Amino acid sequence: MLHDLAAVVGAPHILTGDATAGFAVDWTGRFQGHTPAVVRPHDTAEVAAVLALCTAAGIPVVPQGGNTGLVGGGVPRHGEVVLSLTRLSQLGQADLEASQITAGAGVTLQQVAAAQ
Protein backbone atom coordinates (compact mmCIF):
# COMPACT_ATOMS: atom_id res chain seq x y z
CA MET A 1 0.00 0.00 0.00
CA LEU A 2 2.85 2.41 0.77
CA HIS A 3 4.11 1.93 -2.79
CA ASP A 4 0.67 2.88 -4.17
CA LEU A 5 0.48 5.94 -1.92
CA ALA A 6 4.00 6.99 -2.90
CA ALA A 7 2.97 6.79 -6.55
CA VAL A 8 0.37 9.47 -5.77
CA VAL A 9 2.26 11.87 -3.50
CA GLY A 10 5.90 10.94 -4.10
CA ALA A 11 8.05 8.78 -1.82
CA PRO A 12 9.50 11.74 0.16
CA HIS A 13 5.96 12.58 1.27
CA ILE A 14 5.28 9.24 2.93
CA LEU A 15 6.61 9.14 6.48
CA THR A 16 6.97 5.96 8.52
CA GLY A 17 8.69 4.85 11.71
CA ASP A 18 10.20 7.51 13.96
CA ALA A 19 9.34 10.24 11.44
CA THR A 20 5.65 9.87 12.37
CA ALA A 21 6.09 10.63 16.09
CA GLY A 22 5.13 14.30 15.92
CA PHE A 23 1.97 13.44 14.02
CA ALA A 24 0.74 10.99 16.67
CA VAL A 25 0.35 13.48 19.51
CA ASP A 26 -1.39 16.84 19.78
CA TRP A 27 0.53 19.95 20.76
CA THR A 28 -0.80 19.85 24.33
CA GLY A 29 0.47 16.30 24.85
CA ARG A 30 -2.92 15.23 26.22
CA PHE A 31 -3.85 13.04 23.26
CA GLN A 32 -1.49 10.41 21.89
CA GLY A 33 -1.79 7.57 19.45
CA HIS A 34 0.15 5.77 16.77
CA THR A 35 0.16 5.63 13.00
CA PRO A 36 1.78 3.30 10.49
CA ALA A 37 2.26 6.17 8.04
CA VAL A 38 1.83 9.88 7.41
CA VAL A 39 0.82 10.84 3.86
CA ARG A 40 1.40 14.44 2.77
CA PRO A 41 -0.49 15.30 -0.45
CA HIS A 42 0.20 18.53 -2.33
CA ASP A 43 -3.26 19.34 -3.70
CA THR A 44 -6.90 18.27 -3.60
CA ALA A 45 -6.45 15.80 -6.47
CA GLU A 46 -3.81 13.99 -4.44
CA VAL A 47 -6.03 14.09 -1.35
CA ALA A 48 -8.84 12.45 -3.36
CA ALA A 49 -6.50 9.80 -4.78
CA VAL A 50 -5.08 8.96 -1.33
CA LEU A 51 -8.56 8.68 0.16
CA ALA A 52 -9.72 6.48 -2.74
CA LEU A 53 -6.79 4.10 -2.23
CA CYS A 54 -7.28 3.91 1.54
CA THR A 55 -11.03 3.46 1.22
CA ALA A 56 -10.64 0.66 -1.32
CA ALA A 57 -8.15 -1.09 1.01
CA GLY A 58 -10.30 -0.54 4.11
CA ILE A 59 -7.59 1.55 5.78
CA PRO A 60 -8.87 4.17 8.24
CA VAL A 61 -7.58 7.73 7.80
CA VAL A 62 -7.48 10.72 10.12
CA PRO A 63 -6.98 14.14 8.52
CA GLN A 64 -4.60 16.50 10.25
CA GLY A 65 -4.17 20.20 9.61
CA GLY A 66 -1.92 22.12 11.97
CA ASN A 67 -2.53 19.65 14.81
CA THR A 68 -3.27 22.55 17.14
CA GLY A 69 -6.78 21.56 18.16
CA LEU A 70 -7.65 21.03 21.80
CA VAL A 71 -9.82 17.92 21.47
CA GLY A 72 -7.44 15.42 19.80
CA GLY A 73 -9.47 15.18 16.59
CA GLY A 74 -6.37 15.00 14.40
CA VAL A 75 -4.57 12.37 16.48
CA PRO A 76 -4.54 8.78 15.17
CA ARG A 77 -5.87 7.23 18.38
CA HIS A 78 -6.59 3.83 16.80
CA GLY A 79 -3.70 3.39 14.37
CA GLU A 80 -5.16 5.30 11.44
CA VAL A 81 -3.03 6.60 8.58
CA VAL A 82 -2.52 10.35 9.03
CA LEU A 83 -3.48 12.50 6.06
CA SER A 84 -1.33 15.56 6.75
CA LEU A 85 -2.62 18.65 4.97
CA THR A 86 0.47 20.79 5.64
CA ARG A 87 1.49 20.86 1.96
CA LEU A 88 -1.87 22.40 0.97
CA SER A 89 -0.31 25.78 1.69
CA GLN A 90 -1.67 27.98 -1.06
CA LEU A 91 -2.61 31.41 0.19
CA GLY A 92 -4.69 33.71 -1.97
CA GLN A 93 -4.62 37.47 -2.02
CA ALA A 94 -6.30 39.18 0.92
CA ASP A 95 -9.53 40.92 -0.05
CA LEU A 96 -9.40 43.82 2.40
CA GLU A 97 -12.76 45.20 1.30
CA ALA A 98 -14.51 41.91 2.02
CA SER A 99 -12.21 41.09 4.97
CA GLN A 100 -11.54 37.62 3.64
CA ILE A 101 -8.79 35.43 2.26
CA THR A 102 -8.75 32.02 0.61
CA ALA A 103 -6.31 29.72 2.37
CA GLY A 104 -5.38 26.08 1.87
CA ALA A 105 -5.84 23.62 4.72
CA GLY A 106 -2.11 23.74 5.48
CA VAL A 107 -1.86 27.49 5.89
CA THR A 108 -1.18 28.57 9.46
CA LEU A 109 -3.08 31.33 11.22
CA GLN A 110 0.21 33.21 11.51
CA GLN A 111 0.54 33.18 7.70
CA VAL A 112 -3.02 34.44 7.33
CA ALA A 113 -2.46 37.20 9.89
CA ALA A 114 0.68 38.30 8.05
CA ALA A 115 -1.11 38.47 4.67
CA GLN A 116 -1.98 41.98 3.54
Side-chain angles (χ1 to χ4, degrees):
M1 183 60 164
L2 291 177
H3 182 269
D4 293 339
L5 292 170
V8 173
V9 301
H13 302 294
I14 304 288
L15 306 178
T16 59
D18 291 343
T20 67
F23 296 88
V25 60
D26 75 327
W27 68 276
T28 69
R30 289 184 16 218
F31 299 99
Q32 298 182 22
H34 63 282
T35 182
V38 175
V39 182
R40 301 180 304 170
H42 175 63
D43 56 31
T44 56
E46 289 184 3
V47 169
V50 166
L51 290 175
L53 284 171
C54 290
T55 298
I59 297 172
V61 174
V62 62
Q64 191 176 93
N67 200 19
T68 58
L70 298 176
V71 296
V75 176
R77 299 288 304 268
H78 305 288
E80 302 90 344
V81 164
V82 171
L83 180 68
S84 172
L85 303 173
T86 56
R87 292 182 64 216
L88 277 76
S89 59
Q90 298 78 15
L91 184 60
Q93 291 290 100
D95 182 341
L96 299 179
E97 188 173 312
S99 296
Q100 67 184 26
I101 191 166
T102 300
V107 175
T108 66
L109 291 178
Q110 182 178 8
Q111 290 170 304
V112 171
Q116 292 196 15

